[in-house]
């Protein structure tokens, strides 16, 4: 089943390490079927973490094909990876590239590269990693059934 990801931005008052409060904006990913469901699920998730009022400032569709979350508990950064799958067009005999966006949770950039290569092991076709960039995404809320 293809997942539909939404990038949600929230603005709220956060207590900093020095005890002072500061207005911050944070970005999260939510797995949902629609904008309405994304907002509802996001409010439910954030209500457990944020004391007081918060304001959702933006919700937009995130074009993500795959999401890989490693097992390392120290990994706290999300990296956006652009991967080109390479195939040959039989009619024109030219190389064709199909771009996909993947998200990887890692400790740092070298770790993200290593994890992406690990996840891509066993891929049937050729591929090329075209870019990996650190995002501002704080956390990801995948859809979970109520069991």
């Amino acid at each position: 089943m293809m997942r539909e990801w939404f990038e949600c931005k929230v603005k709220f008052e956060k207590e900093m390490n020095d005890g002072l409060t500061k207005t911050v904006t944070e970005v999260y990913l939510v797995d949902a079927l629609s904008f309405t469901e994304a907002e509802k699920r996001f409010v439910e998730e954030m209500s457990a973490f944020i004391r007081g009022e918060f304001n959702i400032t933006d919700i937009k569709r995130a074009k993500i094909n795959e999401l890989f979350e490693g097992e390392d508990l120290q990994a706290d950064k999300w990296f956006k990876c652009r991967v080109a799958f390479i195939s040959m067009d039989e009619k024109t005999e030219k190389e064709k590239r199909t771009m996909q966006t993947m998200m990887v949770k890692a400790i740092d950039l070298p770790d993200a590269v290593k994890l992406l290569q690990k996840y891509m092991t066993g891929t049937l076709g050729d591929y090329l990693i075209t870019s990996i960039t650190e995002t501002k995404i704080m956390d990801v809320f995948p859809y979970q059934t109520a069991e």
Side-chain angles (χ1 to χ4, degrees):
M1 183 177 96
M2 181 85 168
R3 290 182 168 219
E4 186 80 42
W5 292 101
F6 292 85
E7 189 175 288
C8 303
K9 288 185 181 178
V10 62
K11 191 174 195 175
F12 63 99
E13 295 284 325
K14 183 176 187 176
E15 186 173 329
M16 307 310 283
N17 292 337
D18 59 7
L20 298 174
T21 58
K22 180 180 176 183
T23 302
V24 296
T25 301
E26 294 181 347
V27 182
Y28 295 84
L29 280 180
V30 177
D31 180 14
L33 297 173
S34 66
F35 284 93
T36 305
E37 183 189 4
E39 181 177 18
K40 178 182 180 282
R41 290 198 56 240
F42 186 60
V43 168
E44 289 170 358
E45 294 283 354
M46 295 311 294
S47 295
F49 298 110
I50 299 176
R51 291 189 199 121
E53 292 184 26
F54 60 91
N55 188 19
I56 298 172
T57 59
D58 189 28
I59 298 178
K60 63 183 176 184
R61 226 178 273 282
K63 295 177 182 168
I64 298 170
N65 300 94
E66 294 282 339
L67 188 127
F68 304 113
E69 198 167 353
E71 297 171 9
D72 191 337
L73 298 177
Q74 292 180 335
D76 63 348
K77 295 179 178 84
W78 284 95
F79 292 85
K80 183 178 185 177
C81 308
R82 296 285 292 157
V83 177
F85 288 92
I86 303 167
S87 60
M88 292 299 286
D89 187 328
E90 293 177 15
K91 292 179 184 175
T92 62
E93 295 183 9
K94 291 186 179 179
E95 186 179 274
K96 178 182 173 186
R97 292 183 179 202
T98 305
M99 299 300 294
Q100 290 202 351
T101 302
M102 301 177 185
M103 298 295 293
V104 176
K105 188 175 185 181
I107 297 170
D108 54 18
L109 184 60
D111 188 42
V113 172
K114 182 179 80 175
L115 286 170
L116 181 60
Q117 288 173 333
K118 175 185 169 192
Y119 294 128
M120 297 301 290
T121 301
T123 302
L124 295 176
D126 294 332
Y127 68 92
L128 176 67
I129 299 171
T130 60
S131 71
I132 299 180
T133 54
E134 185 177 342
T135 68
K136 294 185 179 190
I137 294 171
M138 300 296 289
D139 205 355
V140 172
F141 302 119
Y143 182 78
Q144 296 176 356
T145 57
E147 291 180 353

